[in-house]
Coordinates of all heavy atoms in Angstrom, one line a residue:
M1 N 84.3 106.8 133.4 CA 84.7 105.4 133.2 C 85.4 104.8 134.4 O 86.2 105.5 135.0 CB 85.5 105.3 131.9 CG 85.9 103.9 131.6 SD 86.9 103.6 130.1 CE 86.9 105.1 129.2
S2 N 85.1 103.6 134.7 CA 85.7 103.0 135.9 C 87.2 102.7 135.6 O 87.6 102.3 134.5 CB 85.0 101.7 136.2 OG 85.7 101.0 137.1
D3 N 88.0 102.9 136.6 CA 89.4 102.6 136.5 C 89.6 101.1 136.5 O 90.7 100.6 136.2 CB 90.3 103.2 137.6 CG 90.4 104.7 137.3 OD1 90.3 105.1 136.2 OD2 90.6 105.5 138.3
S4 N 88.6 100.3 136.9 CA 88.8 98.9 137.1 C 88.6 98.1 135.8 O 88.7 96.9 135.7 CB 87.8 98.3 138.1 OG 86.5 98.5 137.7
M5 N 88.2 98.8 134.7 CA 88.0 98.2 133.4 C 89.3 97.7 132.9 O 90.3 98.4 132.9 CB 87.4 99.1 132.4 CG 85.9 99.5 132.7 SD 85.3 100.6 131.4 CE 85.1 99.5 130.1
D6 N 89.4 96.4 132.3 CA 90.6 96.0 131.7 C 90.7 96.5 130.3 O 89.8 97.1 129.7 CB 90.7 94.4 131.8 CG 89.7 93.7 131.0 OD1 89.0 94.3 130.2 OD2 89.5 92.5 131.2
L7 N 91.8 96.2 129.7 CA 92.1 96.7 128.3 C 91.0 96.2 127.3 O 90.5 97.0 126.5 CB 93.5 96.3 127.9 CG 93.9 96.7 126.4 CD1 93.9 98.3 126.3 CD2 95.2 96.2 126.1
K8 N 90.7 94.9 127.3 CA 89.7 94.4 126.4 C 88.4 95.1 126.5 O 87.7 95.4 125.5 CB 89.6 92.9 126.5 CG 90.8 92.2 126.0 CD 90.5 90.7 125.7 CE 91.7 90.1 125.1 NZ 91.5 88.9 124.4
A9 N 88.0 95.4 127.7 CA 86.7 96.1 128.0 C 86.8 97.5 127.4 O 85.8 98.0 126.8 CB 86.4 96.1 129.4
K10 N 87.9 98.1 127.6 CA 88.0 99.5 127.1 C 88.1 99.5 125.6 O 87.4 100.4 125.0 CB 89.3 100.1 127.7 CG 89.2 100.5 129.2 CD 90.5 101.1 129.7 CE 90.3 101.4 131.2 NZ 91.6 101.8 131.8
L11 N 88.8 98.6 125.0 CA 88.8 98.5 123.5 C 87.4 98.2 123.0 O 87.1 98.7 121.9 CB 89.8 97.4 123.1 CG 91.3 97.8 123.3 CD1 92.2 96.6 122.9 CD2 91.7 99.0 122.5
G12 N 86.6 97.5 123.7 CA 85.3 97.1 123.3 C 84.4 98.4 123.1 O 83.4 98.3 122.5
L13 N 84.8 99.5 123.7 CA 84.0 100.7 123.7 C 84.2 101.4 122.3 O 83.4 102.2 121.9 CB 84.3 101.6 124.8 CG 84.0 101.1 126.2 CD1 84.5 102.1 127.3 CD2 82.5 100.9 126.4
D14 N 85.4 101.2 121.7 CA 85.7 101.8 120.5 C 84.8 101.3 119.3 O 84.4 100.1 119.4 CB 87.2 101.7 120.1 CG 88.1 102.4 121.1 OD1 87.6 103.4 121.7 OD2 89.2 101.9 121.4
V15 N 84.7 102.1 118.3 CA 84.0 101.6 117.1 C 84.9 101.5 116.0 O 85.8 102.3 115.8 CB 82.9 102.7 116.7 CG1 82.2 102.3 115.4 CG2 81.9 102.8 117.8
F16 N 84.8 100.4 115.2 CA 85.7 100.2 114.1 C 84.9 100.1 112.8 O 84.0 99.3 112.7 CB 86.5 98.9 114.3 CG 87.4 98.9 115.5 CD1 87.0 98.4 116.7 CD2 88.7 99.5 115.4 CE1 87.8 98.4 117.8 CE2 89.5 99.5 116.5 CZ 89.0 99.0 117.7
K17 N 85.2 101.0 111.9 CA 84.5 100.9 110.6 C 85.5 100.2 109.7 O 86.6 100.5 109.5 CB 84.3 102.4 110.0 CG 83.2 103.1 110.8 CD 82.7 104.3 110.1 CE 81.6 104.9 110.8 NZ 81.1 106.1 110.2
P18 N 85.0 99.1 109.1 CA 85.8 98.2 108.3 C 86.5 98.9 107.2 O 86.0 99.8 106.6 CB 84.9 97.1 107.8 CG 83.6 97.2 108.6 CD 83.6 98.7 109.1
V19 N 87.8 98.5 107.0 CA 88.5 99.1 105.9 C 88.4 98.1 104.7 O 88.5 96.9 104.8 CB 90.0 99.3 106.3 CG1 90.2 100.4 107.3 CG2 90.7 98.0 106.7
S20 N 88.2 98.7 103.5 CA 88.0 97.9 102.3 C 89.4 97.4 101.8 O 89.5 96.3 101.3 CB 87.4 98.7 101.2 OG 88.1 99.9 101.0
N21 N 90.4 98.1 102.1 CA 91.8 97.8 101.7 C 92.6 97.8 103.0 O 92.7 98.9 103.6 CB 92.3 98.9 100.7 CG 92.8 98.3 99.5 OD1 93.0 97.1 99.3 ND2 93.1 99.2 98.5
P22 N 93.3 96.7 103.3 CA 94.1 96.8 104.5 C 95.1 97.9 104.5 O 95.8 98.0 103.5 CB 94.8 95.4 104.6 CG 93.9 94.5 103.7 CD 93.3 95.4 102.7
H23 N 95.2 98.8 105.5 CA 96.1 99.9 105.4 C 97.5 99.6 106.0 O 98.4 100.4 105.8 CB 95.5 101.1 106.2 CG 95.2 100.8 107.7 ND1 94.2 100.0 108.1 CD2 95.8 101.2 108.8 CE1 94.1 99.9 109.4 NE2 95.2 100.6 109.8
I24 N 97.6 98.4 106.6 CA 98.9 97.9 107.0 C 99.1 96.5 106.3 O 98.2 95.7 106.4 CB 99.1 97.8 108.5 CG1 98.8 99.2 109.1 CG2 100.5 97.4 108.9 CD1 98.7 99.1 110.7
R25 N 100.2 96.4 105.7 CA 100.5 95.1 105.0 C 101.9 94.6 105.4 O 102.8 95.4 105.5 CB 100.4 95.2 103.5 CG 99.1 95.5 103.0 CD 99.2 95.7 101.5 NE 98.0 96.3 100.9 CZ 97.0 95.6 100.4 NH1 97.0 94.3 100.4 NH2 95.9 96.3 100.0
I26 N 102.1 93.3 105.6 CA 103.4 92.7 105.7 C 103.9 92.7 104.3 O 103.3 92.2 103.4 CB 103.3 91.4 106.4 CG1 102.8 91.5 107.8 CG2 104.7 90.7 106.3 CD1 102.5 90.2 108.5
R27 N 105.1 93.2 104.1 CA 105.6 93.2 102.7 C 105.8 91.8 102.3 O 106.3 90.9 103.0 CB 106.9 94.0 102.7 CG 106.7 95.5 103.0 CD 108.0 96.3 102.6 NE 107.8 97.7 103.0 CZ 107.2 98.6 102.3 NH1 106.7 98.3 101.1 NH2 107.1 99.9 102.7
P28 N 105.5 91.5 101.0 CA 105.7 90.2 100.5 C 107.1 89.6 100.7 O 108.1 90.3 100.5 CB 105.4 90.3 99.0 CG 104.6 91.6 98.9 CD 105.0 92.5 100.0
G29 N 107.1 88.3 101.1 CA 108.4 87.7 101.4 C 109.0 87.9 102.7 O 110.0 87.3 103.1
M30 N 108.3 88.8 103.5 CA 108.9 89.2 104.8 C 108.2 88.5 106.0 O 108.5 88.8 107.2 CB 108.8 90.7 105.0 CG 109.5 91.5 103.9 SD 111.2 91.1 103.8 CE 112.0 92.3 104.9
E31 N 107.3 87.6 105.7 CA 106.4 87.0 106.7 C 107.2 86.2 107.8 O 106.7 86.1 108.9 CB 105.4 86.0 106.1 CG 104.4 86.7 105.2 CD 104.9 86.9 103.7 OE1 106.1 86.6 103.5 OE2 104.2 87.4 102.9
K32 N 108.4 85.8 107.5 CA 109.2 85.1 108.5 C 110.4 85.9 109.0 O 111.2 85.4 109.8 CB 109.8 83.8 107.9 CG 108.7 82.8 107.7 CD 109.3 81.4 107.2 CE 108.2 80.4 107.0 NZ 108.7 79.1 106.6
D33 N 110.4 87.2 108.7 CA 111.4 88.1 109.2 C 111.4 88.2 110.7 O 110.3 88.5 111.2 CB 111.3 89.5 108.5 CG 112.5 90.3 108.8 OD1 112.7 90.8 109.9 OD2 113.3 90.6 107.8
P34 N 112.5 88.0 111.4 CA 112.4 88.1 112.9 C 111.9 89.4 113.4 O 111.4 89.4 114.5 CB 113.9 87.8 113.3 CG 114.7 87.7 112.0 CD 113.8 87.6 110.9
R35 N 112.1 90.5 112.7 CA 111.6 91.8 113.2 C 110.1 91.8 113.4 O 109.6 92.5 114.2 CB 112.0 92.9 112.2 CG 113.5 93.2 112.2 CD 113.9 94.2 111.1 NE 113.9 93.5 109.8 CZ 114.3 94.1 108.7 NH1 114.7 95.3 108.7 NH2 114.2 93.4 107.5
L36 N 109.4 91.0 112.6 CA 108.0 91.0 112.7 C 107.5 90.4 114.0 O 106.4 90.7 114.5 CB 107.3 90.2 111.6 CG 107.1 91.0 110.3 CD1 106.6 90.0 109.2 CD2 106.1 92.1 110.5
K37 N 108.3 89.5 114.7 CA 107.9 88.9 115.9 C 107.7 90.0 117.0 O 107.0 89.8 118.0 CB 108.9 87.9 116.4 CG 108.9 86.7 115.5 CD 109.7 85.5 116.1 CE 109.5 84.3 115.1 NZ 110.1 83.1 115.7
R38 N 108.4 91.2 116.8 CA 108.2 92.3 117.8 C 106.7 92.7 117.8 O 106.2 93.1 118.8 CB 109.1 93.4 117.4 CG 110.6 93.1 117.4 CD 111.4 94.3 116.9 NE 112.7 93.9 116.6 CZ 113.5 94.6 115.8 NH1 113.1 95.7 115.2 NH2 114.8 94.2 115.6
A39 N 106.1 92.7 116.6 CA 104.7 93.1 116.5 C 103.8 92.2 117.3 O 102.8 92.7 117.9 CB 104.3 93.2 115.0
V40 N 104.1 91.0 117.3 CA 103.3 90.0 118.1 C 103.3 90.4 119.6 O 102.3 90.4 120.3 CB 103.8 88.6 117.9 CG1 103.0 87.6 118.8 CG2 103.8 88.2 116.5
M41 N 104.4 90.9 120.0 CA 104.6 91.3 121.4 C 104.0 92.7 121.7 O 103.5 92.9 122.8 CB 106.1 91.2 121.8 CG 106.6 89.8 121.8 SD 108.3 89.7 122.4 CE 109.2 90.3 121.0
V42 N 104.1 93.6 120.8 CA 103.8 95.0 121.2 C 102.5 95.5 120.7 O 102.0 96.5 121.2 CB 104.9 96.0 120.6 CG1 106.3 95.6 121.2 CG2 104.9 96.0 119.1
C43 N 101.8 94.9 119.7 CA 100.5 95.4 119.3 C 99.5 95.4 120.4 O 99.2 94.3 120.9 CB 100.0 94.6 118.1 SG 98.4 95.1 117.5
P44 N 99.0 96.5 120.8 CA 98.1 96.5 122.0 C 96.8 95.9 121.7 O 96.1 95.5 122.6 CB 97.9 98.0 122.3 CG 98.3 98.7 121.0 CD 99.3 97.9 120.3
A45 N 96.4 95.7 120.4 CA 95.2 95.1 120.1 C 95.4 93.6 119.8 O 94.4 92.9 119.5 CB 94.5 95.8 118.9
G46 N 96.6 93.1 119.8 CA 96.9 91.7 119.6 C 96.5 91.2 118.2 O 96.0 90.1 118.1
L47 N 96.8 92.0 117.2 CA 96.4 91.7 115.8 C 97.4 90.8 115.1 O 97.1 90.3 114.0 CB 96.1 93.0 115.1 CG 95.1 93.9 115.7 CD1 94.8 95.1 114.8 CD2 93.8 93.2 116.0
Y48 N 98.6 90.7 115.6 CA 99.6 89.9 114.9 C 99.7 88.5 115.6 O 99.6 88.4 116.8 CB 101.0 90.6 115.0 CG 101.1 91.8 114.2 CD1 100.7 93.0 114.7 CD2 101.6 91.7 112.9 CE1 100.9 94.2 113.9 CE2 101.8 92.9 112.1 CZ 101.4 94.1 112.6 OH 101.5 95.2 111.9
S49 N 99.9 87.5 114.8 CA 100.1 86.2 115.4 C 101.0 85.4 114.5 O 101.3 85.7 113.3 CB 98.8 85.4 115.6 OG 98.1 85.3 114.3
E50 N 101.6 84.3 115.0 CA 102.5 83.4 114.3 C 101.7 82.2 113.9 O 101.1 81.5 114.8 CB 103.7 83.1 115.1 CG 104.7 82.3 114.3 CD 106.1 82.2 115.0 OE1 106.2 82.8 116.1 OE2 107.0 81.6 114.5
N51 N 101.7 81.8 112.6 CA 101.0 80.6 112.3 C 101.8 79.3 112.4 O 103.0 79.4 112.8 CB 100.3 80.7 110.9 CG 101.4 80.8 109.8 OD1 102.5 80.5 109.9 ND2 100.9 81.3 108.6
E52 N 101.3 78.2 112.0 CA 102.0 76.9 112.2 C 103.2 76.8 111.2 O 104.1 76.0 111.5 CB 101.0 75.7 111.9 CG 100.4 75.7 110.5 CD 99.3 76.6 110.3 OE1 98.8 77.3 111.3 OE2 98.9 76.7 109.1
R53 N 103.3 77.7 110.2 CA 104.5 77.7 109.3 C 105.5 78.6 109.8 O 106.5 78.9 109.1 CB 104.0 78.0 107.9 CG 103.1 76.9 107.3 CD 102.8 77.2 105.8 NE 102.1 78.5 105.6 CZ 100.8 78.6 105.8 NH1 100.0 77.6 106.1 NH2 100.2 79.8 105.6
G54 N 105.3 79.3 110.9 CA 106.3 80.2 111.4 C 106.2 81.6 110.8 O 107.1 82.4 110.9
E55 N 105.1 81.8 110.1 CA 104.9 83.1 109.4 C 104.1 84.0 110.4 O 103.2 83.6 111.1 CB 104.1 83.0 108.1 CG 104.8 82.1 107.1 CD 103.9 81.7 106.0 OE1 102.7 81.7 106.2 OE2 104.4 81.4 104.9
I56 N 104.4 85.3 110.3 CA 103.6 86.3 111.1 C 102.5 86.7 110.2 O 102.7 87.1 109.0 CB 104.5 87.5 111.5 CG1 105.7 87.0 112.3 CG2 103.6 88.5 112.3 CD1 105.4 86.2 113.6
V57 N 101.3 86.7 110.8 CA 100.1 87.1 110.0 C 99.4 88.3 110.8 O 99.5 88.4 112.0 CB 99.1 86.0 109.8 CG1 99.7 85.0 108.8 CG2 98.7 85.3 111.1
L58 N 98.7 89.1 110.0 CA 98.1 90.3 110.6 C 96.6 90.3 110.3 O 96.2 90.1 109.1 CB 98.7 91.6 110.0 CG 98.0 92.9 110.2 CD1 97.9 93.2 111.7 CD2 98.7 94.0 109.5
D59 N 95.8 90.4 111.3 CA 94.3 90.5 111.1 C 94.0 92.0 111.4 O 94.0 92.4 112.6 CB 93.6 89.6 112.0 CG 92.1 89.7 111.9 OD1 91.6 90.5 111.1 OD2 91.4 89.1 112.7
I60 N 93.8 92.8 110.4 CA 93.7 94.3 110.6 C 92.5 94.8 111.3 O 92.5 95.9 111.8 CB 93.9 94.9 109.2 CG1 94.3 96.4 109.3 CG2 92.6 94.8 108.4 CD1 95.7 96.6 109.8
D61 N 91.4 94.0 111.4 CA 90.2 94.5 112.0 C 90.5 94.7 113.5 O 91.0 93.9 114.3 CB 89.1 93.4 111.9 CG 88.6 93.2 110.5 OD1 88.8 94.2 109.7 OD2 88.1 92.2 110.2
G62 N 90.2 96.0 113.9 CA 90.4 96.4 115.3 C 91.7 97.2 115.5 O 92.1 97.5 116.6
C63 N 92.3 97.5 114.4 CA 93.6 98.3 114.5 C 93.3 99.7 115.1 O 92.4 100.4 114.7 CB 94.2 98.5 113.1 SG 95.7 99.5 113.1
L64 N 94.2 100.0 116.1 CA 94.0 101.3 116.8 C 94.8 102.4 116.1 O 94.8 103.6 116.6 CB 94.5 101.1 118.2 CG 93.8 100.1 119.0 CD1 94.6 99.8 120.3 CD2 92.4 100.5 119.3
E65 N 95.5 102.1 115.0 CA 96.3 103.1 114.3 C 97.3 103.8 115.1 O 97.6 105.0 115.0 CB 95.3 104.1 113.6 CG 94.3 103.5 112.7 CD 93.2 104.4 112.3 OE1 93.4 105.6 112.3 OE2 92.1 103.9 112.0
C66 N 97.9 103.1 116.1 CA 98.8 103.7 117.0 C 100.2 103.8 116.5 O 101.0 104.6 117.0 CB 98.8 102.9 118.3 SG 99.4 101.2 118.1
G67 N 100.5 103.0 115.5 CA 101.9 103.1 114.9 C 103.0 102.3 115.6 O 104.1 102.3 115.2
T68 N 102.6 101.6 116.7 CA 103.6 100.9 117.5 C 104.3 99.8 116.6 O 105.5 99.6 116.7 CB 102.9 100.2 118.7 OG1 102.2 101.2 119.4 CG2 103.9 99.5 119.6
C69 N 103.5 99.1 115.8 CA 104.2 98.0 115.0 C 105.1 98.6 114.0 O 106.2 98.1 113.7 CB 103.1 97.2 114.3 SG 101.9 98.1 113.2
R70 N 104.8 99.8 113.5 CA 105.7 100.5 112.5 C 107.0 100.8 113.2 O 108.1 100.6 112.6 CB 105.0 101.7 112.0 CG 105.8 102.5 110.9 CD 104.9 103.7 110.5 NE 105.5 104.4 109.4 CZ 106.5 105.3 109.5 NH1 106.9 105.7 110.7 NH2 107.0 105.9 108.4
L71 N 106.9 101.3 114.4 CA 108.2 101.7 115.1 C 109.0 100.5 115.5 O 110.2 100.4 115.4 CB 107.8 102.5 116.3 CG 107.3 104.0 116.0 CD1 106.9 104.6 117.3 CD2 108.4 104.8 115.4
A72 N 108.3 99.4 115.9 CA 108.9 98.2 116.4 C 109.6 97.4 115.3 O 110.7 96.8 115.5 CB 107.9 97.4 117.2
C73 N 108.9 97.3 114.2 CA 109.4 96.4 113.1 C 110.1 97.2 112.0 O 111.0 96.6 111.4 CB 108.2 95.7 112.5 SG 107.3 94.8 113.7
G74 N 109.7 98.4 111.7 CA 110.3 99.1 110.6 C 109.6 99.0 109.3 O 108.8 98.1 109.1
V75 N 109.8 100.0 108.5 CA 109.0 100.1 107.2 C 109.6 99.1 106.2 O 109.1 98.9 105.1 CB 109.0 101.5 106.6 CG1 108.2 102.4 107.6 CG2 110.4 102.1 106.5
E76 N 110.8 98.5 106.5 CA 111.3 97.5 105.5 C 110.5 96.3 105.5 O 110.4 95.6 104.5 CB 112.8 97.1 105.9 CG 113.7 98.3 105.9 CD 113.8 99.1 107.1 OE1 113.1 98.7 108.1 OE2 114.4 100.2 107.1
V77 N 109.8 96.0 106.6 CA 109.0 94.8 106.7 C 107.5 95.1 106.7 O 106.6 94.2 106.3 CB 109.3 93.9 107.9 CG1 110.7 93.3 107.8 CG2 109.1 94.7 109.2
L78 N 107.1 96.3 107.0 CA 105.7 96.7 107.0 C 105.4 97.9 106.1 O 106.2 98.9 106.1 CB 105.2 97.1 108.4 CG 105.1 96.0 109.5 CD1 104.7 96.6 110.8 CD2 104.1 95.0 109.1
D79 N 104.4 97.7 105.3 CA 103.9 98.9 104.5 C 102.8 99.5 105.3 O 101.7 98.9 105.4 CB 103.4 98.3 103.1 CG 102.9 99.5 102.3 OD1 103.1 100.6 102.6 OD2 102.3 99.1 101.2
W80 N 103.1 100.6 106.0 CA 102.1 101.1 107.0 C 101.5 102.4 106.5 O 102.3 103.4 106.1 CB 102.9 101.4 108.3 CG 102.1 101.5 109.5 CD1 101.9 100.5 110.4 CD2 101.3 102.6 109.9 NE1 101.1 101.0 111.4 CE2 100.7 102.2 111.2 CE3 101.0 103.9 109.4 CZ2 99.8 103.1 111.9 CZ3 100.2 104.7 110.1 CH2 99.6 104.3 111.3
N81 N 100.2 102.5 106.5 CA 99.5 103.7 106.1 C 98.3 103.9 107.0 O 97.8 102.9 107.6 CB 99.0 103.6 104.6 CG 100.2 103.5 103.7 OD1 100.9 104.4 103.3 ND2 100.4 102.2 103.3
Y82 N 97.8 105.1 107.1 CA 96.5 105.3 107.7 C 95.4 104.8 106.8 O 95.5 104.8 105.6 CB 96.3 106.8 108.1 CG 97.1 107.2 109.3 CD1 98.2 108.1 109.1 CD2 96.8 106.8 110.6 CE1 98.9 108.5 110.2 CE2 97.5 107.2 111.6 CZ 98.6 108.1 111.4 OH 99.3 108.4 112.5
P83 N 94.3 104.4 107.4 CA 93.2 103.9 106.5 C 92.5 105.1 105.8 O 92.7 106.3 106.1 CB 92.2 103.3 107.5 CG 92.5 103.9 108.8 CD 94.0 104.2 108.8
E84 N 91.8 104.7 104.8 CA 91.0 105.8 104.0 C 90.1 106.5 104.9 O 89.6 106.0 105.9 CB 90.3 105.1 102.9 CG 91.1 104.4 101.8 CD 90.3 103.6 100.8 OE1 89.1 103.7 100.8 OE2 91.0 102.9 100.1
G85 N 89.9 107.8 104.6 CA 89.0 108.6 105.4 C 87.6 108.0 105.6 O 87.0 107.4 104.7
G86 N 87.2 108.1 106.9 CA 85.8 107.5 107.2 C 85.9 106.1 107.7 O 84.9 105.6 108.1
T87 N 87.0 105.4 107.5 CA 87.1 104.0 108.0 C 88.1 104.0 109.1 O 88.8 105.0 109.5 CB 87.6 103.1 106.9 OG1 88.9 103.5 106.4 CG2 86.7 103.2 105.7
G88 N 88.2 102.8 109.7 CA 89.1 102.6 110.8 C 88.5 102.9 112.2 O 87.3 102.8 112.3
V89 N 89.3 103.2 113.2 CA 88.9 103.3 114.5 C 88.3 104.7 114.8 O 88.7 105.7 114.3 CB 90.1 103.0 115.5 CG1 91.1 104.1 115.4 CG2 89.6 102.9 116.9
Q90 N 87.2 104.6 115.7 CA 86.7 105.8 116.3 C 86.8 105.6 117.8 O 86.1 104.7 118.3 CB 85.2 106.0 115.9 CG 85.0 106.4 114.4 CD 83.5 106.6 114.1 OE1 82.7 106.4 114.9 NE2 83.3 107.0 112.9
F91 N 87.6 106.5 118.4 CA 87.8 106.3 119.8 C 86.6 106.9 120.6 O 86.0 107.9 120.3 CB 89.1 107.0 120.3 CG 90.3 106.3 119.7 CD1 91.0 106.8 118.7 CD2 90.7 105.1 120.3 CE1 92.1 106.2 118.1 CE2 91.9 104.5 119.8 CZ 92.5 105.0 118.7
R92 N 86.3 106.2 121.7 CA 85.2 106.6 122.6 C 85.9 106.9 124.0 O 86.8 106.2 124.3 CB 84.2 105.5 122.8 CG 83.5 105.2 121.5 CD 82.4 106.2 121.2 NE 81.8 105.9 119.9 CZ 80.7 105.2 119.7 NH1 80.1 104.7 120.7 NH2 80.2 105.1 118.5
F93 N 85.4 107.8 124.7 CA 85.9 108.1 126.0 C 87.4 108.4 126.0 O 88.1 108.0 126.8 CB 85.6 107.0 127.0 CG 84.2 106.7 127.1 CD1 83.6 105.6 126.5 CD2 83.3 107.6 127.8 CE1 82.2 105.4 126.6 CE2 82.0 107.3 127.9 CZ 81.4 106.2 127.3
G94 N 87.8 109.3 125.0 CA 89.2 109.7 125.0 C 89.9 108.8 124.1 O 90.9 108.6 123.7
Ligands
SF4_1 S1 99.0 100.3 114.4 FE1 98.9 99.6 116.5 S2 96.9 98.5 116.7 FE2 97.4 98.7 114.5 S3 98.4 96.8 114.0 FE3 100.0 98.3 114.5 S4 100.5 98.1 116.7 FE4 98.5 97.0 116.3

């Protein structure tokens, strides 16, 4: 693999099998908790965003299962689990 590939190109090589049940959820009522803003900054796949109401939302498709959001935000605001077997990310080229 070329060292000149950017992150999005590298992520595009991975395969994601859709999860029927989101394996990471923002705990109800915590959508505006300031700790969640860390996830917007640290998620390498860019799956967290802030909507017009100031709530943090998560689009789970493309999750790398890296656990960074769990460490950054804490389990008080995130219900974090691995996806069911056979779903989720399949890494290519390491
Ligand atoms: S586990 Fe990693 S890729 Fe998945 S949502 Fe959290 S930070 Fe993003």
Side-chain angles (χ1 to χ4, degrees):
M1 182 178 349
S2 167
D3 287 337
S4 63
M5 290 179 76
D6 66 13
L7 178 60
K8 285 196 175 198
K10 288 178 180 174
L11 289 175
L13 297 174
D14 295 329
V15 173
F16 298 94
K17 291 196 174 177
V19 293
S20 54
N21 234 349
H23 59 287
I24 304 172
R25 294 175 195 267
I26 296 170
R27 294 192 186 275
M30 305 301 268
E31 295 84 358
K32 291 186 178 180
D33 190 289
R35 288 173 286 186
L36 274 176
K37 292 193 176 186
R38 300 173 191 159
V40 178
M41 294 185 282
V42 301
C43 175
L47 303 183
Y48 290 87
S49 60
E50 186 170 358
N51 67 18
E52 63 282 350
R53 294 185 299 277
E55 300 166 335
I56 303 301
V57 292
L58 167 62
D59 178 6
I60 199 68
D61 292 336
C63 175
L64 301 168
E65 302 164 29
C66 64
T68 305
C69 57
R70 182 179 188 273
L71 289 173
C73 303
V75 294
E76 297 85 8
V77 293
L78 288 178
D79 180 11
W80 201 104
N81 299 281
Y82 284 107
E84 294 171 10
T87 63
V89 66
Q90 289 180 356
F91 292 103
R92 300 278 174 96
F93 300 105

